[in-house]
Amino acid sequence: QVQLVESGGGLVQAGGSLRLSCAASGLTFSTYAMGWFRRAPGKEREFVAAVSANGAFTHYADSVKGRFTVSRDNPKNTVYLQMTSLKPEDTAVYYCGAGKVPDTRAYIYNYWGQGTQVTVSS
């Protein structure tokens, strides 16, 4: 079965950096677009970043543009989210999703990981 496993979350001070990873199995990874979403306490899940299947196209939410970078390593079946200049408002559970197109809409994605907590202290 398909599994997406996020890792790399943790507690970091404002201004710091983290790199999230999402390891995929049970699917032909190189044919799936990958997205990162997050859910803060009391809020809806929101789009963060997405990358196309071949890595050539990326898209970011305005709130993270210039601070976060999404990338993928297809031979390793892994997608990454490099987060820099972190702010307290970035605190959330971060999820990766696999879908056929790199979309901003969560319902487009077919598979999801369990999430990893990112907490940014001020």
Side-chain angles (χ1 to χ4, degrees):
Q1 70 278 21
V2 175
Q3 280 194 313
L4 302 178
V5 180
E6 300 95 337
S7 62
L11 173 64
V12 63
Q13 287 189 330
S17 299
L18 281 175
R19 188 176 82 155
L20 305 184
S21 299
C22 171
S25 60
L27 76 172
T28 306
F29 183 73
S30 62
T31 67
Y32 280 84
M34 299 297 295
W36 285 97
F37 288 73
R38 66 188 181 186
R39 178 177 284 150
K43 294 188 176 181
E44 297 290 320
R45 177 159 31 181
E46 66 172 356
F47 169 76
V48 175
V51 58
S52 60
N54 65 2
F57 171 81
T58 57
H59 183 57
Y60 298 92
D62 287 344
S63 60
V64 307
K65 203 171 292 184
R67 300 188 298 122
F68 290 11
T69 303
V70 60
S71 62
R72 64 190 296 158
D73 186 335
N74 282 351
K76 292 185 177 179
N77 287 1
T78 302
V79 63
Y80 304 98
L81 185 68
Q82 178 69 49
M83 306 185 295
T84 64
S85 301
L86 282 161
K87 305 175 182 180
E89 51 263 44
D90 294 318
T91 295
V93 178
Y94 283 71
Y95 301 88
C96 66
K100 282 305 183 179
V101 293
D103 208 281
T104 62
R105 297 167 292 179
Y107 69 82
I108 294 293
Y109 293 81
N110 305 105
Y111 307 105
W112 291 95
Q114 81 291 346
T116 186
Q117 176 71 47
V118 171
T119 303
V120 184
S121 63
S122 57

